[in-house]
Amino acid sequence: MGSLGTVSIVDGGLVVALYVVAAALLLVQLVFRPGAGWKRRRWLVTCLIALVVGAGLGLGATWVTTEWFDLFGVGLSLAAYLWIAAGFAAIAVCVCSFFGSRWPRTVLSAVSIVVFVATTAMSINIDIGTYPTVNSVLGISPFAERALPPLASPSATNTTATLGSSWVAPADQPAVGTVSEVEIPSTVSGFVARDAEVYLPPAALTEHPPALPVVITLSGQPGQPSDPLVSGHLEASLDAYAAAHHGLAPIVVSPDQIGDPANNPMCVDGALGNSATYLTVDVVSWIKAHLPVAAAPGGWGIAGFSQGGTCSIQLGAAHPELFGSILDVSGELVPSNGDEATTIAGGFAGNAAAYEAAKPVNILKKHSPFTSTFAVFSVGETDDVFRPYAEQISAAAKAAGMTVTYFVAPGSGHDYTTASYAFQRGFSLLADHFGLAS
């Protein structure tokens, strides 16, 4: 879509323009109605009733779908509820305007409904932070045309605790990092994966790069590999960290652990795809063969949001020989693809024992004690569903011997507002732990 696809839908001119148009249309609906005297008064009373009834219907429908039936698996914030109420209220006025109106006003009302729906959706998106641009709404990666640049072999074989103080940025070091899209073959797993995204910090782009830490980072589900870097603003967070630390930051590889946005293989090997083998064998092997990364698990981490957060604790705890660090943002308590019976039947071929073995708490018990694993857990402050999960898993990780940090994202729920805050703070903690701080 060219430059149109990169237009921001969370701030900037387009957002302001849509709000102005919506406000103007609502004002026209409320004030400019043919007739005078008692007809005008009757219309204003009708509008008042429509606003109240519409807002009530919006709030009721939202509560039923999100709280009662839990159709989306997460709750909405107060801000989202208020925007839905406002949108339904404005639409109700337009519906009333259809009656007894001539065709110009009917057309205006129809256009107004479209604008009010768009404004409401945009406002909810601003609150949850999932889609920052038009391209992200359409599932188009902004990195699709960027090939991996030529990279030199690292000048050291491992990340050390002194890299932050010993690295001297050369004259050829870029000011910011770069993101590329790559194909990571599923040679061993056979898993059908979409292309991955790779963030390289400035230090990795030099003629003689150091061996840098690497973090495999996973999106939520549904989602795509670019989500952590775009919706989670991880590219900007890593560039900011690198700017403050002589160009040093972790390399991030964001592969596809899902395959299909509607699929959830739960980061295990099963009927829905060998996701676990793809991540721990195929992706790991590709990273070691193509990127200037540390050799030892002390320089490797795994991170993710929501379903990706569940994967990070599952695989991080199950493979301490691969990953020395974990960042679990709003992960689940157990791998889930519907209710428990559906999950076991579809994801584990009916094997309840395999399902039990895939639960993070049981993985932690099996592989404890952990003597050198650094784990960070985060969740949204208003996320009443996933916050108890994070508290339980972080406590279990601490009991298993991991060095644990737990924090909440202030004022946000189960959304990319939480993920953005947690990625910025969490990756800074990981980077410091890797030894990149000067």
Side-chain angles (χ1 to χ4, degrees), residues 218-219 257-258 264-268 275 279 302-317 323 326 328 331-332 360:
L218 307 171
S219 73
Q257 85 279 14
I258 298 170
N264 182 7
M266 297 175 287
C267 286
V268 299
S275 179
L279 295 173
I302 185 166
F305 167 64
S306 192
Q307 191 265 6
T310 315
C311 292
S312 69
I313 185 62
Q314 285 175 269
L315 299 179
F323 307 109
I326 300 166
D328 176 356
E332 301 159 295

Side-chain angles (χ1 to χ4, degrees), residues 131-399:
Y131 304 109
T133 65
V134 175
N135 274 344
S136 61
V137 175
L138 301 174
I140 300 173
S141 169
F143 315 117
E145 304 301 322
R146 302 186 194 176
L148 192 71
L151 299 171
S153 298
S155 56
T157 58
N158 196 12
T159 297
T160 69
T162 61
L163 182 59
S165 57
S166 63
W167 171 252
V168 178
D172 68 335
Q173 180 170 282
V176 296
T178 185
V179 181
S180 306
E181 188 163 283
V182 302
E183 178 185 356
I184 299 182
S186 54
T187 307
V188 176
S189 66
F191 186 69
V192 181
R194 293 166 291 179
D195 288 348
E197 316 293 354
V198 177
Y199 169 83
L200 297 167
L205 302 172
T206 59
E207 186 176 356
H208 301 289
L212 288 162
V214 60
V215 182
I216 294 175
T217 305
L218 307 171
S219 73
Q221 187 274 331
Q224 58 183 350
S226 62
D227 286 350
L229 291 152
V230 178
S231 300
H233 301 283
L234 188 50
E235 180 184 14
S237 295
L238 292 168
D239 276 344
Y241 186 92
H245 296 88
H246 312 294
L248 296 171
I251 291 173
V252 167
V253 178
S254 184
D256 180 21
Q257 85 279 14
I258 298 170
D260 184 303
N263 189 37
N264 182 7
M266 297 175 287
C267 286
V268 299
D269 290 344
L272 300 177
N274 296 328
S275 179
T277 295
Y278 179 67
L279 295 173
T280 60
V281 177
D282 292 323
V283 172
V284 168
S285 297
W286 184 91
I287 291 172
K288 291 180 177 179
H290 293 86
L291 303 177
V293 297
W300 283 65
I302 185 166
F305 167 64
S306 192
Q307 191 265 6
T310 315
C311 292
S312 69
I313 185 62
Q314 285 175 269
L315 299 179
H319 295 279
E321 80 284 1
L322 296 178
F323 307 109
S325 296
I326 300 166
L327 172 58
D328 176 356
V329 180
S330 302
E332 301 159 295
L333 186 63
V334 298
S336 175
N337 193 24
D339 60 28
E340 185 174 279
T342 303
T343 297
I344 294 173
F348 297 88
N351 188 337
Y355 169 70
E356 289 294 325
K359 292 182 176 180
V361 290
N362 293 332
I363 296 173
L364 286 164
K365 291 177 182 177
K366 178 181 179 180
H367 293 273
S368 66
F370 294 85
T371 58
S372 57
T373 300
F374 177 70
V376 179
F377 298 88
S378 182
V379 69
E381 183 181 27
T382 64
D383 189 352
D384 295 332
V385 175
F386 285 77
R387 192 177 66 250
Y389 300 164
E391 292 169 351
Q392 292 180 57
I393 297 296
S394 61
K398 186 174 182 179

Side-chain angles (χ1 to χ4, degrees), residues 408-419:
V408 298
S412 58
H414 192 78
D415 51 45
Y416 266 99
T417 301
T418 290

Side-chain angles (χ1 to χ4, degrees), residues 20 35 76 82-83 86 111-112 128 144 147 171 204 207 221 239 258 375 381 419:
V20 170
L76 294 176
L82 293 176
W83 277 114
V111 171
S112 298
I128 64 177
E207 186 176 356
Q221 187 274 331
D239 276 344
I258 298 170
E381 183 181 27

